[in-house]
Amino acid sequence: MLFDLEMIRALYAKIPGRVARARKMLNRPLTLAEKIIYSHLIESGVDCVYQRGANFAEFHPDRVAMQDATAQMALLQFMTAGKAKTAVPSSVHCDHLITARDGVAKDLPRALEENKEVYAFLESVSAKYGIDFWKPGAGIIHQVVLENYAVPGGMMIGTDSHTVNAGGLGMLAIGVGGADAVDAMVDLPWELKYPKIIGVKLTGKLSGFASAKDVILKLAGILTVKGGTNAIIEYFGEGARSLSATGKATIANMGAEAGATCSTFGYDDSMERYLKSTGREAVALAANKIAEHLRADAEIETAPEKYFDRVIEINLSELKPHYNGPFSPDRAFSVENMSESLKEFNSPAPVSAALIGSCTNSSYEDLYQAANLIRQALEKGLKPKVPLIINPGSELVRHTAERDGIMAVFEKFGATIMTNACGPCIGMWDRLGADKKELNSIVHSFNRNFAKRADGNPNTHAFVCSPEMAVIAALSGSLLFNPDTDSLTNERGESVRLTPPETKELPEKGFEAPDAGYQAPAKDGSAIQVRIPEKSDRLQALVPFAPWDGKDPKKVPLLIKVKGKCTTDHISMAGPWLKYRGHLENISRNLLIGATNAFNGETNRVQSLSGEWMAVPDLAKYYRDAGLGSIVIGDENYGEGSSREHAAMEPRFLGVKAVIVKSFARIHETNLKKQGMLALTFETPADYDKIREKDQFDILGLETFAPGKPFTLMITHEDGTFDEIFLLHTYNNQQWEWFKAGSALNLIRG
């Protein structure tokens, strides 16, 4: 038993009383999100009425989950806190560092050798501090969490933005930076701006080639990448209850692409079935006893507009398959409208590759339905027109699928089976020919499709779809093929049509895997030595950041004025840079190298005060070492995407004093604050246009800080003229203490 049943029983014993207390105080029915929120508030916050989207609240999460790329920095920080064991159940999953190239037989052994220092560190630190360790090849963090740890009504935080996947099992599961995870692991309250709540009513039932993935692809188009910022998306209605637990997880997973804090569904029969199928009947029985508290009150569904900040309705019966992209996961087009979609970026209609996997779509149900379509195609004499690549979600799923003949179908089709890991989704696809930077289109069942994300080629136009539509694209070789209306020609020259695949929610014989990849921590880790090689270029012990000197920054030069979309991929690239996630100095060499300089339209080429052109990290280091520091200016939704803490630690390490933007993505703003950075926004967004290439800045008002009180930015231009503008911030008194101490971790350390 991997899950902590006693912790779950204690939580379920607390929930009814907390819910009743909140309902009485608020004097109204409660949404599911509110029930989970009030069940996890620190005791002093339970009797407070919070203003959604404005007040900060403090919580005690039930669990922490970390993947190997982000766990390195999180655990390096945790080690400095002086604790003997994590205060809450925690797990580490080795899924991000495995390059997808030749298939699992070659890729996994190569990864074990290439990353042996990192894996040894993570294994030893997990054993020492009581952390569950999942070995390389065990599976993708979010699929493994869903199979083993997710619990209806629980609250979990994880050092990956797609932690939200566990919302498919009725949790509030939230992506955070490593410093936030450290808060929970050392038993400090974890802070979050009290979220707004968006209600999504699902009616009807999926039919044809539409799948659960198409629900979130359509919703992403409605909300855009910013529409869910500082909000929880709560799904309800008969349509929601008609979906499988893993289908719900797919939808919750991609809520991150709309900027949502997390997404959740009410406890229902599909969740009970999934819990029992994955060996957690005891959890299901416990959940059944308080089921009324694990879903919204009945009045919510009757009059949702009274209780949600926004209500969106989607009729599943009318839903069509989608291809979202390229370059942004919210660019939503149904398959019947793809000819229109391709025009904006001159995207090629032919598909060069189709990929199935990632934490979004790698469940047994996903693989079964994809294989069912392939079996049908083979029977009709069809062969793939382009390569099909598959990453199973976990060893539990892979072994079960192999037992049931699913993997044999993929192999007969000629698909390449990669390791149970993220692979191409996180940019770890060593794609043959990608270095030629040829224009091409791919389809995948992943969640993100930013430029260069999958294969490093800026001219790869990636479109997000369901596993079923990835198979369709592999068979047709075209983004314009509509399985509802179009036919394919088989090897015999016959025109044939595909029919929607048979679905299977769960394996009839249950799940099984002789070795799922789990390794338990030591019962007593006090004598275990954490392994950090002295001269490693992969791992580096942390040196605390310096505290604030108590003075307003003066005459600080501009590092870069970023134009347009600047995700955490632009700030701190993944792909080959993942190997340096445990070495702050080395990974800082990629700071903002993907961001577009507003003054020349180029990446990684900025001008110094003396007129010299330099790479962004080099100029940042030069200004830091000269004692000047620097300022980063950004556009809308700066820091969109991953929970990547390195995107905040790198500028801090290289001496950036402040990041000033039109607006922030939620996780990135918090990460900057945690690292002792100034995260500020223009009071008037148009003031962004006043910033010139060789400006110097004074940030005034830090010495007289008060929550909600703007700072003043004095801009000195190269010609001697000045501009004075106002900067807003969202710091509360506690967060300002982080800034003064140099980082939140410095306060923990004391």
Side-chain angles (χ1 to χ4, degrees):
M1 185 189 299
L2 301 183
F3 53 91
D4 190 330
L5 186 58
E6 290 311 308
M7 178 272 287
I8 294 169
R9 285 173 173 161
L11 169 66
Y12 283 0
K14 180 175 71 173
I15 285 176
R18 282 287 189 100
V19 169
R21 193 166 157 185
R23 191 185 288 120
K24 181 178 180 181
M25 179 184 62
L26 298 175
N27 193 31
R28 60 169 175 79
L30 300 179
T31 68
L32 170 62
E34 289 174 315
K35 290 181 178 182
I36 301 176
I37 284 171
Y38 272 89
S39 296
H40 289 83
L41 287 164
I42 63 171
E43 187 60 38
S44 61
V46 175
D47 295 319
C48 298
V49 177
Y50 297 90
Q51 184 180 345
R52 294 180 184 176
N55 300 140
F56 284 89
E58 292 183 310
F59 301 90
H60 284 302
D62 303 308
R63 173 169 287 281
V64 171
M66 297 165 279
Q67 39 92 337
D68 51 355
T70 52
Q72 296 171 62
M73 197 57 69
L75 292 173
L76 285 166
Q77 293 178 84
F78 176 79
M79 287 169 59
T80 69
K83 302 294 182 179
K85 189 176 180 180
T86 61
V88 297
S90 303
S91 58
V92 166
H93 306 258
C94 296
D95 63 347
H96 272 55
L97 300 177
I98 302 169
T99 300
R101 182 189 304 166
D102 305 308
V104 59
K106 293 183 179 179
D107 292 348
L108 184 55
R110 184 171 55 244
L112 291 171
E113 177 60 28
E114 290 176 348
N115 304 310
K116 59 185 177 182
E117 289 183 3
V118 172
Y119 294 149
F121 164 70
L122 293 174
E123 182 181 14
S124 62
V125 76
S126 297
K128 183 175 182 65
Y129 294 110
I131 299 169
D132 286 356
F133 180 71
W134 291 83
K135 296 180 286 188
I140 304 170
I141 175 174
H142 310 304
Q143 181 66 33
V144 173
V145 165
L146 196 72
E147 293 167 356
N148 295 280
Y149 300 124
V151 53
M155 176 182 279
M156 180 178 75
I157 60 175
T159 60
D160 187 286
S161 54
H162 290 96
T163 300
V164 294
N165 189 76
L169 215 53
M171 295 193 86
L172 292 189
I174 302 168
V176 299
D180 278 352
V182 172
D183 282 351
M185 289 192 289
V186 301
D187 205 25
L188 286 177
W190 168 67
E191 184 183 65
L192 177 74
K193 181 179 285 188
Y194 195 94
K196 295 182 179 181
I197 308 176
I198 298 171
V200 177
K201 182 178 182 180
L202 300 182
T203 62
K205 193 171 184 178
L206 291 170
S207 62
F209 288 91
S211 72
K213 184 64 164 282
D214 297 300
V215 177
I216 188 58
L217 294 180
K218 182 175 180 63
L219 184 63
I222 295 170
L223 288 174
T224 78
V225 292
K226 296 194 301 180
T229 302
N230 290 323
I232 292 172
I233 302 174
E234 182 172 326
Y235 293 85
F236 64 96
E238 285 301 320
R241 291 185 283 276
S242 73
L243 300 169
S244 68
T246 50
K248 291 179 174 73
T250 290
I251 294 169
N253 183 296
M254 268 195 70
E257 275 59 53
T261 300
C262 62
S263 304
T264 195
F265 290 78
Y267 180 66
D268 61 14
D269 293 344
S270 71
M271 295 185 192
E272 180 182 2
R273 290 192 297 272
Y274 187 76
L275 286 168
K276 290 180 177 178
S277 183
T278 51
R280 291 173 287 172
E281 185 170 4
V283 178
L285 293 173
N288 290 343
K289 292 178 182 178
I290 62 161
E292 65 181 293
H293 302 301
L294 302 178
R295 57 178 72 107
D297 288 338
E299 297 91 333
I300 303 294
E301 193 162 322
T302 304
E305 63 283 348
K306 291 183 180 180
Y307 307 106
F308 293 112
D309 296 282
R310 180 180 179 183
V311 177
I312 298 168
E313 185 170 334
I314 296 176
N315 186 341
L316 301 186
S317 301
E318 298 174 354
L319 195 61
K320 299 294 183 183
H322 278 60
Y323 286 121
N324 281 28
F327 308 136
S328 193
D330 63 345
R331 192 173 179 275
F333 285 84
S334 64
V335 64
E336 58 197 7
N337 294 316
M338 284 306 292
S339 58
E340 185 65 28
S341 168
L342 301 180
K343 293 177 182 178
E344 183 177 357
F345 298 105
N346 294 316
S347 302
V351 172
S352 63
L355 303 95
I356 295 172
S358 92
C359 55
T360 322
N361 281 108
S362 56
S363 66
Y364 181 89
E365 180 182 34
D366 290 322
L367 297 187
Y368 181 90
Q369 290 174 192
N372 187 265
L373 256 184
I374 290 173
R375 187 179 286 113
Q376 180 189 147
L378 291 172
E379 290 170 354
K380 295 184 178 186
L382 296 170
K383 288 187 175 181
K385 288 188 169 62
V386 300
L388 178 66
I389 295 171
I390 296 172
N391 283 75
S394 69
E395 179 58 16
L396 187 70
V397 164
R398 190 212 61 78
H399 184 86
T400 304
E402 182 176 61
R403 179 201 66 191
D404 294 349
I406 291 172
M407 305 310 289
V409 174
F410 291 139
E411 290 164 1
K412 187 176 180 181
F413 194 61
T416 301
I417 310 300
M418 297 294 186
T419 312
N420 311 321
C422 301
C425 182
I426 191 58
M428 295 296 283
W429 183 18
D430 188 1
R431 187 185 187 189
L432 184 66
D435 57 326
K436 298 177 183 177
K437 299 185 178 180
E438 295 174 341
L439 180 64
N440 73 107
S441 292
I442 64 172
V443 301
H444 58 57
S445 70
F446 310 160
N447 35 51
R448 299 226 163 100
N449 57 355
F450 305 138
K452 302 184 182 180
R453 173 80 175 195
D455 63 2
N457 177 5
N459 298 315
T460 293
H461 292 210
F463 293 83
V464 183
C465 64
S466 66
E468 296 91 322
M469 289 307 295
V471 172
I472 294 293
L475 287 165
S476 67
S478 174
L479 285 163
L480 297 176
F481 183 86
N482 184 348
D484 287 323
T485 58
D486 300 338
S487 301
L488 293 166
T489 302
N490 67 14
E491 294 177 300
R492 299 181 291 274
E494 300 166 336
S495 181
V496 298
R497 293 280 297 275
L498 296 170
T499 57
E502 174 189 328
T503 63
K504 184 162 287 187
E505 179 183 53
L506 296 164
E508 292 176 1
K509 300 177 184 177
F511 287 99
E512 67 174 55
D515 180 4
Y518 170 72
Q519 188 167 304
K523 291 183 179 180
D524 179 2
S526 58
I528 293 175
Q529 294 295 313
V530 176
R531 286 173 270 179
I532 302 180
E534 198 170 314
K535 296 182 179 180
S536 172
D537 70 346
R538 300 288 300 273
L539 296 161
Q540 181 186 56
L542 291 176
V543 176
F545 292 129
W548 177 45
D549 64 6
K551 300 175 183 177
D552 289 340
K554 301 285 183 69
K555 301 301 180 188
V556 184
L558 175 70
L559 175 61
I560 184 173
K561 178 180 177 180
V562 177
K563 178 183 179 182
K565 185 184 283 286
C566 189
T567 71
T568 49
D569 276 343
H570 295 92
I571 304 168
S572 175
M573 287 185 176
W577 290 95
L578 283 175
K579 65 184 179 181
Y580 296 125
R581 286 287 181 86
H583 198 294
L584 183 56
E585 184 175 2
N586 283 347
I587 199 170
S588 293
R589 301 200 309 264
N590 78 2
L591 174 65
L592 285 159
I593 63 175
T596 300
N597 182 351
F599 299 113
N600 60 10
E602 299 180 40
T603 58
N604 203 26
R605 190 166 184 264
V606 288
Q607 195 171 27
S608 71
L609 289 174
S610 64
E612 181 182 0
W613 290 98
M614 301 176 70
V616 180
D618 293 342
L619 183 57
K621 183 176 184 296
Y622 172 78
Y623 283 151
R624 179 199 67 184
D625 294 348
L628 300 172
S630 58
I631 300 288
V632 171
I633 302 294
D635 214 321
E636 295 280 4
N637 206 33
Y638 184 89
E640 167 195 343
S642 169
S643 65
R644 202 162 303 165
E645 185 170 38
H646 302 76
M649 296 188 79
E650 290 175 35
R652 181 73 167 99
F653 178 76
L654 289 177
V656 174
K657 300 285 188 183
V659 179
I660 305 170
V661 302
K662 293 181 182 178
S663 64
F664 282 106
R666 175 190 64 85
I667 299 177
H668 187 62
E669 181 182 18
T670 299
N671 285 349
L672 289 168
K673 291 179 178 180
K674 286 278 183 175
Q675 299 305 331
M677 295 277 290
L678 289 171
L680 311 172
T681 57
F682 295 105
E683 182 181 59
T684 304
D687 285 342
Y688 168 91
D689 298 322
K690 294 178 179 178
I691 307 300
R692 303 178 194 173
E693 195 162 21
K694 295 185 180 180
D695 284 347
Q696 296 181 70
F697 306 95
D698 297 351
I699 303 177
L700 308 176
L702 273 62
E703 298 173 36
T704 57
F705 164 84
K709 180 182 177 182
F711 299 132
T712 299
L713 183 70
M714 184 68 69
I715 310 167
T716 303
H717 302 299
E718 186 182 18
D719 61 7
T721 60
F722 297 87
D723 272 306
E724 184 178 313
I725 63 176
F726 292 105
L727 302 175
L728 305 180
H729 64 84
T730 59
Y731 289 86
N732 57 29
N733 286 321
Q734 172 64 29
Q735 293 169 345
W736 194 245
E737 291 300 316
W738 302 343
F739 172 74
K740 288 164 63 178
S743 73
L745 188 59
N746 286 356
L747 276 186
I748 296 172
R749 189 182 297 111

